[in-house]
Amino acid sequence: MIYLTNTLSGKKEEFKPIKAGAVGMYSCGPTVYDFAHLGNLRAYVFTDILRRIFEYNGYDVNQVVNITDVGHLVTDGDEGEDKMTKALIREGKPLNIESMTEVATFYFAKFREDLASLNIEMPKTFPRATEHIPEIIELIKKLDQKGFVYKTSDGLYFNTSKFPAYGKLGNINLEGLKEGARVTANTEKKNPIDFAVWKFNPLLGWDTPWGKGFPGWHIECSAMSVKYLGQPFDVHTGGIDHIPVHHNNEIAQSESAEGVPLANYWIHNAHLNMNGGKMAKSAGNFLTLKSLEEKGISPLAYKFWLLGARYSTQINFVNVIIDSLQKGFGNFLSAIKRIYAETNNSEGTKISEGNINEKYKKEFTNFVNDDLDTPRALALTWNLLRDEGVSSSDKIATILDFDRVFGLDIKNSLKEDFILIPENIKRLAGERNTARIAKDWKKSDKLRAEIEKNGFSVIDTNEGYSLVPLGANPSPLKK
Ligand code: AMP
Ligand code: ZN
């Protein structure tokens, strides 16, 4: 059984799929106007882990991550500039749909590269808003026919007073939201929290029965989720910043149009902060994967650090953490590599043929199924590494099984490790082995010291010996 904290109820609930053995999952995707920052990527590491946990439990997951390539305004509401337009101005490109598509295609490709380097599995579908304009218009027509929208001079608005449950997700304080909305009052709105489903723009966009323009950001998600997953679907995810406005707006539109709930489980990731404030483009306090790599930190080291906290815990990036990221992941990998080395004979470089330890697997499953408790799952992995009661090859088999959830690409690191052992080190190790067999301890010790000077250590095993890079060696777990 999988338990998830559902923002709809505010409680941890047992997950029950709509269709046995299957999960339909929609994750609000990026607005592709710039490179993703590490905060954005935390949202996709979280959805990937959630998806992997469903798969680990045997579910067939249909995941959709939309791509917003038009219509998302800088305020997340109806005021301010369109983020894509901002990108066109920044890059000195003409203001038209063609250049918008070109810019979006570029950053969408960069986004996929970021996901790949974090070893995030690609969703089944990445629908782009500009490729779903007919579906969006159809949905707005439906809302229009049912009397949920009205026209003003700058767009078509959803009338929130017609949806009495408005604000139910996260139990939003509507008075607070109304006050916020009044600051940038649009006097033509019937209610301060009404929001645009279509924005008029005589220069940029598509023709509709109401006027030329482009869709509101929220309606894009409503139209694309129902197209690919039906309604209701199982799980909807996003960052907590989306709860008050974006997700409540999605719910208002979709549920008014179809008369059934939009999604059964709403799961939200907490923020990544930078020196105490939310990491955000607008605040200028952001880092990208590329900037980490320039500091010698691999994307997987960042992911490993994220897994040390639950998705729902706010975490803070400060310089001292950044400096320790690579070491933390390096220690973890070295510990696994040492164990792995013990499973090989002196010739061998093959992945071990051990068995998954069922006791550890059961505990691991309980942790990850308990609202994605990755910190405890990682602590359990360290315990397994230190457990003298489990054979090395079983440890490796079990850790590779856990990595179906962690997605740290451990199998590949094990392979790499052996490819990287230089020929001269192999030769020294061979000579040392000969000396050892001949009981020439002096020579054997001298050769061992030379090997260690070159960054490797020799482990003698029943079958012969193995070479591993010098690194953290987990101390045995005392029983
Ligand atoms: P956007 O491209 O602004 O729509 O954001 C893409 C995703 O990243 C959304 O799910 C946001 O909620 C999430 N997000 C943005 N900033 C952060 C942050 N600092 N920490 C965690 N998630 C974030
Ligand atoms: Zn969305």
Side-chain angles (χ1 to χ4, degrees):
M1 276 180 297
I2 300 175
Y3 294 89
L4 300 169
T5 298
N6 189 349
T7 311
L8 264 181
S9 64
K11 295 201 182 88
K12 194 149 79 176
E13 296 172 16
E14 183 189 333
F15 174 72
K16 294 197 177 109
I18 293 167
K19 194 170 145 238
V23 179
M25 186 169 158
Y26 186 89
S27 308
C28 285
T31 303
V32 281
Y33 71 113
D34 208 334
F35 296 102
H37 60 66
L38 297 181
N40 300 133
L41 294 170
R42 182 183 192 195
Y44 305 107
V45 167
F46 150 64
T47 59
D48 186 54
I49 299 291
L50 178 58
R51 194 269 279 284
R52 285 168 177 271
I53 291 172
F54 282 127
E55 287 171 347
Y56 193 72
N57 283 269
Y59 286 100
D60 180 21
V61 184
N62 181 6
Q63 188 186 12
V64 177
V65 177
N66 71 291
I67 299 298
T68 300
D69 53 2
V70 70
H72 187 176
L73 306 189
V74 285
T75 56
D76 278 8
D78 305 311
E79 317 295 331
E81 216 172 355
D82 173 88
K83 288 187 177 181
M84 292 302 305
T85 306
K86 217 175 144 187
L88 291 184
I89 296 168
R90 185 188 64 219
E91 300 189 6
K93 298 218 158 75
L95 283 183
N96 56 42
I97 294 293
E98 290 72 35
S99 0
M100 221 178 223
T101 306
E102 190 188 311
V103 168
T105 301
F106 175 80
Y107 288 111
F108 177 26
K110 292 291 160 198
F111 175 66
R112 288 196 308 267
E113 282 174 22
D114 283 347
L115 297 189
S117 61
L118 286 162
N119 198 31
I120 287 174
E121 288 172 13
M122 296 298 151
K124 277 211 178 116
T125 322
F126 267 131
R128 284 173 71 149
T130 53
E131 290 169 4
H132 293 78
I133 299 298
E135 287 87 345
I136 292 168
I137 293 173
E138 274 314 301
L139 180 57
I140 299 175
K141 272 190 191 158
K142 209 175 214 178
L143 289 170
D144 196 13
Q145 278 155 12
K146 293 188 174 185
F148 284 103
V149 293
Y150 61 91
K151 197 170 169 176
T152 73
S153 56
D154 78 341
L156 214 58
Y157 281 78
F158 184 91
N159 187 345
T160 51
S161 64
K162 301 241 164 145
F163 186 70
Y166 189 84
K168 67 178 173 176
L169 182 75
N171 224 352
I172 297 307
N173 169 0
L174 292 185
E175 288 313 310
L177 211 58
K178 281 177 197 163
E179 279 311 310
R182 274 196 197 103
V183 176
T184 51
N186 172 342
T187 48
E188 291 179 66
K189 279 196 206 178
K190 293 191 175 169
N191 310 286
I193 50 177
D194 290 353
F195 55 91
V197 293
W198 193 263
K199 278 281 227 182
F200 300 139
N201 189 317
L203 305 172
L204 192 82
W206 296 263
D207 289 318
T208 71
W210 314 284
K212 185 171 175 170
F214 54 81
W217 172 39
H218 324 294
I219 198 84
E220 298 174 3
C221 284
S222 286
M224 293 191 277
S225 59
V226 69
K227 171 165 180 175
Y228 292 98
L229 298 169
Q231 192 175 322
F233 56 90
D234 295 295
V235 180
H236 195 310
T237 74
I240 48 165
D241 50 323
H242 284 350
I243 302 171
V245 177
H246 182 53
H247 286 171
N248 271 298
N249 290 355
E250 281 186 35
I251 288 175
Q253 301 162 144
S254 295
E255 300 192 359
S256 301
E258 305 297 331
V260 293
L262 174 55
N264 290 344
Y265 300 85
W266 288 78
I267 329 277
H268 291 96
N269 66 277
H271 284 150
L272 169 71
N273 284 355
M274 179 92 184
N275 299 321
K278 179 193 169 196
M279 186 180 281
K281 274 274 149 59
S282 53
N285 61 343
F286 65 90
L287 287 172
T288 59
L289 275 189
K290 197 158 165 265
S291 57
L292 276 194
E293 284 177 292
E294 280 160 9
K295 294 175 197 278
I297 299 161
S298 69
L300 290 176
Y302 168 61
K303 183 179 189 178
F304 178 73
W305 176 71
L306 285 180
L307 298 182
R310 240 213 195 112
Y311 75 96
S312 49
T313 306
Q314 183 175 292
I315 46 177
N316 194 19
F317 228 22
V318 285
N319 285 338
V320 49
I321 290 181
I322 299 172
D323 293 341
S324 68
L325 285 183
Q326 196 60 34
K327 195 158 171 252
F329 187 46
N331 285 347
F332 181 69
L333 282 183
S334 301
I336 296 171
K337 285 174 181 180
R338 281 192 95 86
I339 304 283
Y340 179 55
E342 291 166 15
T343 70
N344 286 282
N345 59 35
S346 38
E347 309 290 317
T349 58
K350 64 180 161 48
I351 294 285
S352 77
E353 282 154 8
N355 297 311
I356 295 169
N357 180 291
E358 288 306 324
K359 181 180 136 280
Y360 275 96
K361 184 179 170 94
K362 190 159 173 260
E363 238 181 304
F364 177 84
T365 309
N366 285 341
F367 288 152
V368 295
N369 285 3
D370 178 17
D371 205 20
L372 289 76
D373 198 343
T374 51
R376 288 178 85 184
L378 275 181
L380 178 79
T381 310
W382 279 109
N383 284 349
L384 168 65
L385 283 167
R386 298 185 189 108
D387 190 340
E388 286 179 323
V390 180
S391 75
S392 299
S393 53
D394 285 4
K395 281 181 188 174
I396 296 298
T398 310
I399 285 168
L400 290 178
D401 179 65
F402 292 178
D403 201 38
R404 288 168 54 207
V405 172
F406 294 141
L408 292 168
D409 205 14
I410 291 171
K411 194 167 183 172
N412 232 353
S413 313
L414 294 180
K415 275 191 213 143
E416 263 170 34
D417 182 38
F418 284 89
I419 294 162
L420 287 176
I421 293 178
E423 281 308 313
N424 65 322
I425 303 292
K426 284 187 190 161
R427 185 177 48 75
L428 290 173
E431 285 172 18
R432 180 194 159 268
N433 199 41
T434 314
R436 191 173 72 100
I437 291 164
K439 295 198 171 21
D440 183 351
W441 307 123
K442 211 169 147 204
K443 188 171 178 192
S444 135
D445 282 352
K446 199 169 149 257
L447 284 161
R448 173 189 282 280
E450 202 174 336
I451 291 166
E452 287 184 355
K453 219 167 65 200
N454 284 286
F456 288 87
S457 81
V458 196
I459 299 170
D460 294 317
T461 64
N462 291 340
E463 295 85 21
Y465 65 90
S466 319
L467 278 167
V468 280
L470 279 176
N473 188 14
S475 48
L477 188 70
K478 297 284 172 247
K479 293 235 150 172

